[in-house]
Amino acid sequence: MAYTEEELKKELETKEYEYGFYTDIESDTLPVGLNEDIVRAISKKKNEPEWMTEWRLEAFRIWSEMVEPEWANVKYTKPDFQKISYYSAPKKKPQYDSLDEVDPELLDTFNKLGISLEEQKKLAGVAVDVVMDSVSVATTFKKTLAEKGIIFCSISEAIKEHPDLVKKYLGTVVPRTDNFYAALNSAVFSDGSFCYIPKGVRCPMELSTYFRINQAGTGQFERTLVIADKESYVSYLEGCTAPMRDENQLHAAVVELIALDDAEIKYSTVQNWFPGNKEGKGGVYNFVTKRGLCEKNSKISWTQVETGSAVTWKYPSCILKGDNSIGEFYSIAVTNNWQQADTGTKMIHLGKNTKSTIISKGISAGQSQNSYRGLVQINRRATNARNFSQCDSLLMGNKCGAHTFPYIEAKNKTAQIEHEATTSKIGEDQIFYCNQRGIDTEKAIALIVNGFSKEVLNKLPMEFAVEAQKLLEISLEGSVG
Amino acid sequence: MDFKENMISSFMAFEDHVDVENPIHDIRTEAIKQFEKEHLPSKKNEFWKYTSLNPYFKKQYSVYPKLESALEFKDVKKYFIHEIDSYKIVFVDGVYSSYLSQTTHEGLDVCLMSAALTKPKYRLVIENYFNKVAPKDSLNSLNTAFSREGAFINIPKGKVVDKPIQILHFSTGNEANLLVQPRNLIVAGENSHVQIIERHQSLTDNEVLTNGVTEIFAKKRAIVDYYKIQNDRLNASLIDNTFISQKEQSHVSVHTFSLGGKLTRNNLQFFHEGERLDSTLKGITLIGDKQHVDHSTLVHHAQPNCESHQDYKGIYADHSTGVFNGRIIVEKEAQKTNGFQQNNNILIDDTATINAKPQLEIFADDVKCSHGCTIGQLDDEALLYLRSRGIPKKEATALLMYAFSNSVLDSVKIPELKNRINKLIAMKLGVSLGFDL
């Protein structure tokens, strides 16, 4: 790890929210509020075909009849959906082949974030589809991918260029009727990524998208659709940072994964949106629906590192429909100050010999509340289903809370389910041991937290693992009294 | 008329039978108002997610039997743990049966709630404890509103009760749609020790519904062991609400043996009001025949240095449904808490269902809390081992199930009771094992 102690020290000094800056790019924003006209306007702005507009309108109608869910173990002021602008796109819509043509100001933003497109191109071998306030502005490595027949583009592009695929799969895993925020997203989604891996192709690089919330007062409604055709493999990374902002920002994304027979999808997320300041003011509301569908012998693996957002409400799930399919969920959720997280997974076992693994690590500090909520469901016909769940919580200080709400439903006698959860704190003896060896308390805690989350960090792709480790340390800074 | 209206109008009729001048009646009136305000349990309620009472709410109920049913001891003897000497409080259709009971006032009070509620000498106890720990939700309030009869046990300071106390509720089903609502209060004074066995039993195949509330108060260093036998007929339904308030260094254990009944719901909640105390919740569920058992537990750790142990075993066959909804809450004051929760389940066939929800809500940092939940089947290799030694399949399976539930049976402190439970389980499994377990 090329990350020294001095660097950490420097980072800690500027720890409040280092990615909190605001890029001054002229944005094209729709008036606030939501009605059928706005939905039409969004669709029109994006030059979408008629069927897409209708699809959105139907979603809007469904949404208007729904009520906001309240069951999650979080408290927040509900966003006023009529006070949000639902579309914001950088005005100078860039269509570039090389980075030189990109707005220098935008490039500067990326540099501050530590994303050097050039460098990533050459060194990391990561194709980045940068989403800046909802419209994709740069797609690299497209050519390499195109040679293999891989489609990796923004979803609005996919709607125009690959309508058959989009029509066939959009909304099949997360239907518009699924929940309040999924319906809202379906009506107003601004942009997102689309990825299709053809039959038998192993994607040669990690696909990655960076999301940023930029325009004050605009919700970000991402829509991601990843389709892995038979016998293919793809690893997809999603990373997020957002500028510091005082009012709460709403983020309601939908991610749909489809793994056809014998395919494998690995989806990794690092989420570091603005969590609100030390008094609990501001911060992003993160209400996300993520779900994957597994056909025969396929595998979907979710890995997430959640350190940001004021309120998180997120349950990446797997529907294990095909026989012998596998679902995995590895998660680290860190909450500090006044953050609240209610996160977990759902594993729905439908096919025979299906397997699922859940490893969830929750770390709470400050006045935060961290909940794990998970469902393991073994249906009547899912013979020989197997599940293993482990939820560990680490508490720092006595003002925070760690909660576990596992739901286990079994209807087949051959099901084998194990669930275990523990809650603990960092032992004084552990810290003492480190102190004795010249490691200061702050660093010792970082070390222990790292060890605690190793099982999950190991599952992240290399590029992300380093970043995630850094994030963990920064997020927990100042939480030790 | 819906269930709520039915109950509210019954309350008016009920008022004609009780002394409305009694201060208790204010509590009752308050409770019926609360009941009117609260929503009835439905699947939308997180705590009733897996158990529906809707079919019950569609019926009309009477809350008091019109005629008294007399029972002969020889007919019901088998439902008592008759091998041992004990105090007995027996109710038939919610009405006290003095003929079958054996109460006392010598050194301790083992008597009736109706007496406790009306006699002046108990006024202080009632004032201090009655309806003090039961939460004011819909079904508890309903019970409170109609509270009139049940067991009242008051053990003074330092008293070690010489023999167990048996509380039996018989239902004759002679009257259709009778809603029986017993109300029990147990106060165990400082350094006292008591063992209580409770059983609900219907005697015919008629439909029976019981909504009972038991409040237990364990004072400093008191030891209370409570055993519930639920081995009822296929048409009997029971909603059992038991609430325990514990003071420092007290030990309270509740064992629930759910071996039968159409629908059994056990709301069992422990509230801690002192340090260094210990709560134990254990249970064995063994059902089939479309039966439904729901264990909903709560241990509320609000004080430092306390321990709680939960251990529930479930074996489910033939269209039966099991629910385990266990909660541990650790408040931020409750440092050094040890909270353990274990729930193991076996599904015998593919028609049975188990829904488990072991929850932890923790606000303190210096605690050791863990929960484990498993769902599985009997080990084929173990079964083969036994069968290759000449033990028939049925017996071998039964043996393994005994082994599976042994950690619960082991902690039963009354040998005769343990024996009885063993026999009941053997009967359920259709085996007779030729050795002492």
Side-chain angles (χ1 to χ4, degrees):
Chain A
M1 184 170 53
Y3 181 62
T4 64
E5 216 169 316
E6 282 91 280
E7 275 177 288
L8 174 71
K9 212 171 161 190
K10 221 156 84 198
E11 255 174 34
L12 295 183
E13 276 160 15
T14 54
K15 74 218 172 213
E16 276 250 307
Y17 186 76
E18 57 170 331
Y19 301 141
F21 50 84
Y22 179 79
T23 315
D24 195 14
I25 295 179
E26 246 186 291
S27 287
D28 178 8
T29 307
L30 276 180
V32 294
L34 184 57
N35 51 47
E36 290 205 7
D37 292 339
I38 294 280
V39 175
R40 275 204 189 88
I42 293 171
S43 193
K44 200 174 165 216
K45 264 192 191 297
K46 305 180 71 61
N47 293 322
E48 282 174 359
E50 183 61 27
W51 62 268
M52 198 60 229
T53 316
E54 278 311 311
W55 197 84
R56 282 172 182 274
L57 284 171
E58 182 57 35
F60 173 75
R61 277 166 217 140
I62 293 164
W63 176 77
S64 358
E65 280 170 22
M66 284 176 149
V67 280
E68 229 184 313
E70 282 175 351
W71 45 263
N73 191 24
V74 293
K75 290 186 190 75
Y76 60 95
T77 15
K78 283 187 184 171
D80 185 342
F81 294 96
Q82 296 305 338
K83 281 206 177 130
I84 297 171
S85 167
Y86 287 86
Y87 185 79
S88 145
K91 216 168 195 176
K92 301 174 209 158
K93 195 181 178 184
Q95 299 269 347
Y96 311 115
D97 292 324
S98 85
L99 288 173
D100 307 339
E101 295 166 42
V102 177
D103 191 334
E105 223 174 322
L106 195 59
L107 280 182
D108 205 39
T109 310
F110 296 144
N111 287 333
K112 276 195 222 168
L113 274 173
I115 317 163
S116 159
L117 290 180
E118 212 55 54
E119 211 182 351
Q120 277 182 0
K121 248 182 180 179
K122 284 187 181 136
L123 299 174
V126 177
V128 181
D129 179 16
V130 182
V131 177
M132 173 113 174
D133 259 317
S134 325
V135 170
S136 105
V137 290
T139 306
T140 47
F141 275 93
K142 219 167 176 176
K143 277 181 195 154
T144 330
L145 295 176
E147 275 165 25
K148 294 239 174 201
I150 297 171
I151 305 166
F152 181 42
C153 60
S154 68
I155 195 128
S156 27
E157 206 178 317
I159 290 168
K160 278 173 246 163
E161 319 244 319
H162 312 283
D164 296 346
L165 282 173
V166 177
K167 252 192 216 173
K168 187 169 170 195
Y169 292 109
L170 189 72
T172 52
V173 188
V174 181
R176 286 168 290 184
T177 46
D178 192 78
N179 67 61
F180 185 81
Y181 294 106
L184 178 65
N185 176 289
S186 303
V188 301
F189 70 86
S190 33
D191 212 336
S193 298
F194 174 83
C195 174
Y196 173 79
I197 316 292
K199 192 175 166 183
V201 170
R202 198 181 159 84
C203 184
M205 60 189 76
E206 315 267 358
L207 298 180
S208 144
T209 309
Y210 275 85
F211 300 109
R212 279 176 59 78
I213 299 182
N214 198 295
Q215 189 77 13
T218 34
Q220 181 105 343
F221 300 94
E222 296 289 341
R223 186 94 195 187
T224 304
L225 180 59
V226 179
I227 304 153
D229 211 329
K230 288 176 184 165
E231 295 156 41
S232 67
Y233 166 82
V234 62
S235 167
Y236 191 95
L237 317 183
E238 176 201 291
C240 321
T241 51
M244 196 179 276
R245 206 50 63 64
D246 250 346
E247 75 218 68
N248 290 301
Q249 290 178 308
L250 175 68
H251 181 100
V254 172
V255 176
E256 291 177 281
L257 307 185
I258 292 140
L260 297 179
D261 294 1
D262 305 294
E264 181 177 345
I265 301 176
K266 196 175 151 125
Y267 195 101
S268 319
T269 312
V270 171
Q271 189 259 104
N272 181 28
W273 280 324
F274 181 46
N277 65 9
K278 278 197 168 152
E279 283 78 48
K281 200 161 167 260
V284 172
Y285 288 172
N286 189 20
F287 304 132
V288 184
T289 312
K290 290 184 169 182
R291 199 173 299 157
L293 179 73
C294 290
E295 295 287 354
K296 263 182 206 154
N297 306 322
S298 64
K299 177 176 172 182
I300 287 179
S301 165
W302 298 99
T303 311
Q304 60 171 23
V305 177
E306 299 276 327
T307 59
S309 296
V311 181
T312 303
W313 187 89
K314 179 179 177 185
Y315 315 94
S317 318
C318 294
I319 300 172
L320 303 169
K321 183 181 161 209
D323 293 352
N324 311 317
S325 56
I326 299 172
E328 288 177 351
F329 175 76
Y330 300 98
S331 163
I332 306 173
V334 183
T335 51
N336 199 352
N337 298 327
W338 292 90
Q339 278 176 274
Q340 302 177 65
D342 192 311
T343 180
T345 184
K346 286 184 188 175
M347 293 291 173
I348 318 280
H349 291 255
L350 300 172
K352 294 187 175 68
N353 306 320
T354 46
K355 275 194 273 189
S356 62
T357 309
I358 300 169
I359 310 278
S360 167
K361 307 272 181 185
I363 302 165
S364 16
Q367 326 251 356
S368 67
Q369 300 296 333
N370 199 334
S371 310
Y372 165 82
R373 186 185 299 276
L375 167 72
V376 175
Q377 192 180 62
I378 313 284
N379 283 281
R380 206 61 88 194
R381 283 179 306 159
T383 331
N384 293 324
R386 183 83 179 83
N387 163 270
F388 174 76
S389 313
Q390 188 184 335
C391 312
D392 296 327
S393 309
L394 196 62
L395 286 158
M396 301 169 117
N398 58 0
K399 292 193 185 91
C400 52
H403 316 292
T404 321
F405 304 96
Y407 294 73
I408 302 158
E409 305 176 8
K411 291 198 165 99
N412 187 295
K413 67 163 181 177
T414 55
Q416 267 200 57
I417 302 173
E418 289 161 56
H419 174 98
E420 53 182 34
T422 60
T423 302
S424 54
K425 67 163 193 170
I426 294 179
E428 275 155 30
D429 47 342
Q430 288 171 311
I431 295 193
F432 181 67
Y433 182 92
C434 291
N435 286 162
Q436 262 188 325
R437 278 147 187 82
I439 303 166
D440 63 50
T441 308
E442 199 80 56
K443 203 81 180 104
I445 285 176
L447 197 71
I448 294 161
V449 167
N450 235 312
F452 175 76
S453 10
K454 204 87 209 165
E455 266 174 286
V456 176
L457 287 175
N458 281 344
K459 297 285 169 189
L460 283 171
M462 194 43 204
E463 300 82 5
F464 257 26
V466 177
E467 195 180 321
Q469 233 167 46
K470 256 208 257 185
L471 259 180
L472 283 186
E473 287 169 24
I474 297 164
S475 316
L476 286 171
E477 206 288 301
S479 57
V480 194
Chain B
M1 192 157 51
D2 72 2
F3 183 74
K4 256 189 185 178
E5 289 170 28
N6 172 206
M7 285 299 127
I8 291 161
S9 66
S10 304
F11 184 74
M12 291 170 193
F14 172 77
E15 279 183 315
D16 294 341
H17 295 273
V18 291
D19 173 18
V20 289
E21 299 301 315
N22 192 317
I24 291 305
H25 201 67
D26 295 339
I27 299 178
R28 290 191 191 119
T29 322
E30 199 58 41
I32 196 81
K33 276 186 198 145
Q34 181 72 15
F35 170 75
E36 197 175 351
K37 215 163 62 188
E38 293 284 324
H39 291 287
L40 290 172
S42 76
K43 285 201 159 189
K44 279 190 184 154
N45 182 335
E46 191 63 26
F47 300 105
W48 291 88
K49 189 176 156 71
Y50 297 112
T51 299
S52 170
L53 294 181
N54 273 344
Y56 296 94
F57 295 145
K58 290 206 179 91
K59 289 180 197 147
Q60 296 287 311
Y61 291 96
S62 59
V63 291
Y64 206 71
K66 285 173 197 74
L67 30 122
E68 226 169 287
S69 306
L71 294 176
E72 285 298 321
F73 181 66
K74 63 175 171 43
D75 297 332
V76 294
K77 186 185 170 197
K78 61 178 177 182
Y79 301 118
F80 290 86
I81 312 290
H82 50 81
E83 298 91 343
I84 46 169
D85 191 15
S86 64
Y87 297 112
K88 299 176 195 77
I89 313 174
V90 182
F91 303 94
V92 180
D93 292 336
V95 180
Y96 175 62
S97 159
S98 58
Y99 169 65
L100 293 171
S101 301
Q102 187 191 342
T103 59
T104 184
H105 290 289
E106 283 162 33
L108 75 158
D109 295 305
V110 177
C111 63
L112 297 180
M113 188 58 117
S114 53
L117 289 177
T118 47
K119 285 185 187 159
K121 69 168 174 171
Y122 297 117
R123 183 153 285 173
L124 208 59
V125 184
I126 293 295
E127 249 172 41
N128 286 335
Y129 299 104
F130 182 79
N131 206 31
K132 286 290 184 287
V133 63
K136 314 274 180 283
D137 66 15
S138 167
L139 292 175
N140 291 329
S141 300
L142 183 64
N143 180 291
T144 308
F146 292 97
S147 56
R148 181 177 183 185
E149 194 55 292
F152 173 74
I153 298 169
N154 186 18
I155 301 148
K157 199 171 161 180
K159 173 81 184 173
V160 175
V161 182
D162 53 337
K163 49 192 182 185
I165 300 167
Q166 298 195 54
I167 306 171
L168 280 102
H169 299 273
F170 291 112
S171 301
T172 59
N174 289 347
E175 255 167 88
N177 294 329
L178 180 67
L179 174 61
V180 185
Q181 302 203 75
R183 176 72 173 221
N184 308 315
L185 176 64
I186 293 144
V187 182
E190 266 178 48
N191 296 321
S192 67
H193 181 193
V194 63
Q195 295 176 321
I196 299 164
I197 303 163
E198 179 204 86
R199 184 166 183 164
H200 291 268
Q201 186 68 48
S202 69
L203 302 171
T204 60
D205 283 333
N206 297 339
E207 294 225 3
V208 173
L209 176 62
T210 306
N211 174 36
V213 171
T214 305
E215 292 180 288
I216 302 174
F217 293 85
K219 296 207 203 163
K220 261 192 213 171
R221 294 181 293 276
I223 303 172
V224 178
D225 297 316
Y226 206 98
Y227 303 96
K228 291 168 183 286
I229 306 175
Q230 300 165 346
N231 181 34
D232 222 330
R233 287 168 187 257
L234 284 180
N235 265 330
S237 306
L238 169 69
I239 301 161
D240 184 88
N241 306 286
T242 303
F243 308 102
I244 296 124
S245 162
Q246 278 186 268
K247 286 273 192 287
E248 62 203 75
Q249 295 181 59
S250 60
H251 283 61
V252 176
S253 74
V254 176
H255 287 68
T256 311
F257 302 99
S258 306
L259 309 172
K262 184 179 179 187
L263 179 140
T264 310
R265 160 83 176 200
N266 286 298
N267 292 323
L268 179 57
Q269 308 192 345
F270 279 75
F271 300 93
H272 291 180
E273 285 181 21
E275 293 189 31
R276 296 188 299 285
L277 54 79
D278 187 295
S279 308
T280 305
L281 301 76
K282 293 193 174 195
I284 295 176
T285 308
L286 174 61
I287 51 168
D289 273 338
K290 297 184 183 153
Q291 298 175 89
H292 183 110
V293 170
D294 182 343
H295 289 288
S296 179
T297 70
L298 166 71
V299 179
H300 196 131
H301 284 274
Q303 297 282 340
N305 299 309
C306 297
E307 283 194 26
S308 69
H309 304 268
Q310 294 188 52
D311 189 0
Y312 280 85
K313 310 285 185 199
I315 301 169
Y316 304 94
D318 193 19
H319 293 93
S320 64
T321 307
V323 182
F324 176 74
N325 187 351
R327 281 169 87 201
I328 298 179
I329 299 178
V330 182
E331 297 289 350
K332 66 170 182 263
E333 295 79 20
Q335 297 291 358
K336 308 267 180 209
T337 288
N338 281 347
F340 301 102
Q341 191 184 63
Q342 180 142 346
N343 174 232
N344 307 99
N345 301 289
I346 292 179
L347 291 181
I348 298 293
D349 58 44
D350 284 345
T351 56
T353 304
I354 167 76
N355 299 310
K357 203 178 141 207
Q359 305 175 47
L360 297 177
E361 289 178 50
I362 296 166
F363 296 91
D365 63 339
D366 192 6
V367 299
K368 266 200 278 183
C369 274
S370 63
H371 65 187
C373 178
T374 62
I375 296 172
Q377 48 198 320
L378 294 176
D379 186 355
D380 279 339
E381 278 176 38
L383 210 55
L384 177 74
Y385 180 94
L386 292 172
R387 293 187 67 189
S388 61
R389 273 146 189 85
I391 300 172
K393 190 174 178 189
K394 205 159 134 192
E395 274 72 18
T397 313
L399 259 180
L400 289 177
M401 286 182 192
Y402 268 109
F404 171 75
S405 44
N406 200 40
S407 66
V408 175
L409 270 177
D410 239 14
S411 57
V412 175
K413 287 179 199 149
I414 308 171
E416 290 80 6
L417 176 67
K418 198 165 162 179
N419 237 330
R420 175 62 65 89
I421 304 281
N422 269 328
K423 272 186 198 152
L424 286 175
I425 293 178
M427 232 159 71
K428 283 273 148 190
L429 298 172
V431 293
S432 70
L433 294 170
F435 58 89
D436 285 330
L437 282 158

